[in-house]
Amino acid sequence: MLEVDRVSHAYGKHAVVRDLSFNLAPGEIACLLGSSGCGKTTMLRLIAGFEQPSAGSIRLNGVTIASEKSQIPAEARRIGMVFQDYALFPHLSTADNIGFGLRGKFPKGRTALALATRRRIDEMLELIGLAEHGARYPHELSGGQQQRVALARALAPQPHLLLLDEPFSNLDVELRERLSLEVRDILKRAGMAAILVTHDQNEAFAVADMVGIMREGCIEQWDTPYNLYHRPATRHVADFIGQGVFLPGEVLSRQIVEVELGRLDCDVPLDCGSSCAECQRDCRLDVLLRPDDVIHDDASNVKAEVIAKAFRGAEFLYTLRLASGAQVLSLVPSHHNHAIGEKIGIRLDVDHVVTFQQEQ
């Protein structure tokens, strides 16, 4: 439905988006995820029509809406947008805010227009679960309710595509997590294709079907949240997504690597990076270990010292020092409350072995 083909954009001599490509299927929710300054918001502005690419093209339903030579105006693209601050009109009721973008949408004639508009507003209020709040004004709504009204206003004109620019950033953590799931459910029920921009990976994973990890104007990996976590394509993606450490390892065979905590069987032949097609015996590499890969086991002969811990309710996140001085992370049920300086038994339980060439 949406095709972004080798798009680049610069402000003066400063390149912000570089040769970027991705596709979005009908009804699919995608996310551009990255740290501040990586180009994700600029890419959203290019799709919306607020900026024009310096190279490449953007097609929506087979129609080129932007290239270095042509630009369809933003208002003619049928692309909805939910802004970071919601941009609700304080003097309009919830129903009137939702209906604002419907002017001129339905047949002419006062009666027909009023009926069609009212019907669509009622559909949107029902969709976002605010059917009884149409007469309320924005200041009478909670932050989460305001966010849903902004979403309904963007959906009301039935756009081809919806863009969401960090829509949860003004909310507290608990509300943000709940609303991200609600927004996904609303978009899926509406059958709406959407692109979310955020720097919060929890939001990205909760909402999106596909996520693009952006860095310096490029997408390093475009994949499902599951694959980004368990099968990162680059060291940057592995480091950016989730938590984990890189532990030095030595290749014993094409599918076995040994680290300080033991031997790991790989389900694919080991690859130590671009310098060689396939790792051979004695090749050195780095193995990514997530906190859920390191299991607390009192019966294990391998001991590690607790040097830091973070209480998370159901779990502790322990930082552990190995005999070599290397550190690993471990998620442990919170009834195992160990003191700083205490040594505990650990073992590996790794389903997806991820390796990278050692940095020089």
Side-chain angles (χ1 to χ4, degrees):
M1 191 197 100
L2 177 72
E3 301 170 85
V4 176
D5 185 19
R6 303 186 67 178
V7 167
S8 296
H9 186 65
Y11 296 112
K13 294 183 179 180
H14 177 57
V16 181
V17 175
R18 311 165 189 262
D19 201 31
L20 191 148
S21 299
F22 66 88
N23 296 327
L24 188 67
E28 190 172 53
I29 304 173
C31 176
L32 298 177
L33 175 64
S35 55
S36 297
C38 69
K40 58 188 185 296
T41 296
T42 298
M43 189 64 244
L44 208 69
R45 292 175 61 83
L46 289 165
I47 296 170
F50 304 146
E51 305 281 353
Q52 184 169 0
S54 56
S57 64
I58 302 172
R59 291 184 292 275
L60 184 62
N61 290 327
V63 177
T64 299
I65 59 173
S67 71
E68 69 274 21
K69 297 180 180 178
S70 64
Q71 176 92 331
I72 293 179
E75 64 273 15
R77 295 189 181 192
R78 288 194 65 182
I79 293 177
M81 192 150 189
V82 178
F83 297 95
Q84 187 171 344
D85 61 358
Y86 312 146
L88 298 178
F89 298 106
H91 64 291
L92 297 182
S93 67
T94 295
D96 289 338
N97 263 286
I98 294 174
F100 184 82
L102 296 176
R103 293 176 299 177
K105 172 73 177 173
F106 297 108
K108 292 183 179 180
R110 194 176 189 88
T111 302
L113 178 61
L115 287 174
T117 301
R118 185 71 251 176
R119 191 180 306 116
R120 185 61 178 164
I121 291 171
D122 288 343
E123 289 175 1
M124 290 296 98
L125 286 169
E126 188 70 33
L127 181 67
I128 63 172
L130 295 177
E132 307 301 321
H133 294 72
R136 291 192 179 184
Y137 288 85
H139 72 274
E140 298 176 304
L141 302 175
S142 68
Q145 289 172 329
Q146 291 179 30
Q147 196 271 344
R148 280 184 275 165
V149 173
L151 181 62
R153 184 180 61 184
L155 290 173
Q158 296 178 302
H160 294 306
L161 175 68
L162 188 66
L163 306 178
L164 301 101
D165 185 11
E166 304 214 34
F168 310 111
S169 60
N170 294 328
L171 304 174
D172 60 70
V173 174
E174 184 179 350
L175 183 57
R176 186 184 309 167
E177 292 178 353
R178 178 169 60 81
L179 276 176
S180 61
L181 296 174
E182 288 183 7
V183 166
R184 175 179 170 83
D185 180 61
I186 291 170
L187 292 174
K188 287 299 182 182
R189 282 190 282 130
M192 178 59 59
I195 299 176
L196 166 73
V197 159
T198 183
H199 62 272
D200 187 320
Q201 60 186 268
N202 291 326
E203 288 178 17
F205 284 11
V207 177
D209 303 307
M210 300 294 292
V211 177
I213 305 298
M214 288 194 64
R215 182 188 185 196
E216 297 179 352
C218 302
I219 289 181
E220 292 222 345
Q221 187 173 351
W222 179 268
D223 218 324
T224 63
Y226 183 89
N227 284 341
L228 290 173
Y229 185 85
H230 290 290
R231 298 185 178 92
T234 68
R235 183 184 285 265
H236 170 75
V237 173
D239 201 35
F240 185 80
I241 294 296
Q243 293 176 297
V245 298
F246 294 102
L247 205 60
E250 181 179 347
V251 176
L252 302 183
S253 71
R254 290 182 67 237
Q255 291 181 305
I256 299 177
V257 61
E258 185 173 47
V259 295
E260 184 176 353
L261 295 175
R263 294 183 178 184
L264 298 171
D265 296 324
C266 304
D267 55 0
V268 294
L270 288 165
D271 182 354
C272 66
S274 59
S275 65
C276 55
E278 183 182 291
C279 285
Q280 305 297 322
R281 184 176 176 85
D282 300 328
C283 176
R284 304 289 297 178
L285 43 69
D286 287 335
V287 179
L288 174 66
L289 293 180
R290 302 286 193 191
D292 49 326
D293 293 329
V294 181
I295 308 300
H296 176 24
D297 185 352
D298 289 325
S300 174
N301 292 325
V302 179
K303 305 296 181 182
E305 180 186 356
V306 177
I307 60 173
K309 65 180 186 179
F311 182 60
R312 296 188 170 183
E315 300 166 317
F316 278 109
L317 177 64
Y318 285 111
T319 303
L320 306 172
R321 181 160 50 215
L322 306 181
S324 67
Q327 296 180 10
V328 294
L329 301 173
S330 180
L331 276 177
V332 178
S334 61
H335 57 271
H336 292 278
N337 187 10
H338 297 284
I340 302 295
E342 186 178 348
K343 291 191 175 182
I344 63 174
I346 57 172
R347 60 179 173 82
L348 291 180
D349 185 8
V350 185
D351 287 331
H352 300 90
V353 179
V354 178
T355 62
F356 294 97
Q357 184 178 8
Q358 286 189 342
E359 293 183 329
Q360 302 299 318

